[in-house]
Amino acid sequence: MSLTERQARIVRCAREWVAEHGEAPSLRELAAAAGLASASTVSYQLRRLRERGVVVETRGRRGGGARCPYCGR
């Protein structure tokens, strides 16, 4: 299985983040570490990686949690 250059960079940056900080990065932190402009780009690439069997842990809110009824956060 070969990863694209961007996917490999995301995996490498996530591993380096965990080694340095002791916890998984958020999507925004991972985007910044990988030199990407958007957290949504990271989210898209993480979905593609999961399809290939590569799981990259991130921290933050999981879907389905309690959210503010006004702003959705």
Side-chain angles (χ1 to χ4, degrees):
M1 161 187 66
S2 66
L3 302 177
T4 65
E5 182 179 326
R6 181 174 287 177
Q7 290 170 340
R9 186 168 65 232
I10 289 170
V11 171
R12 184 179 62 251
C13 288
R15 288 179 180 160
E16 290 172 356
W17 185 278
V18 170
E20 184 176 333
H21 296 91
E23 66 180 0
S26 69
L27 289 177
R28 288 182 183 181
E29 290 166 339
L30 187 52
L36 301 172
S38 167
S40 66
T41 302
V42 173
S43 180
Y44 171 81
Q45 293 298 335
L46 292 177
R47 281 194 307 276
R48 301 284 83 75
L49 285 164
R50 274 193 300 274
E51 290 171 359
R52 293 175 159 216
V54 178
V55 178
V56 176
E57 291 295 323
T58 58
R59 70 179 155 78
R61 182 177 33 231
R62 299 290 185 237
R67 295 182 182 226
C68 172
Y70 303 105
C71 68
R73 294 182 188 198

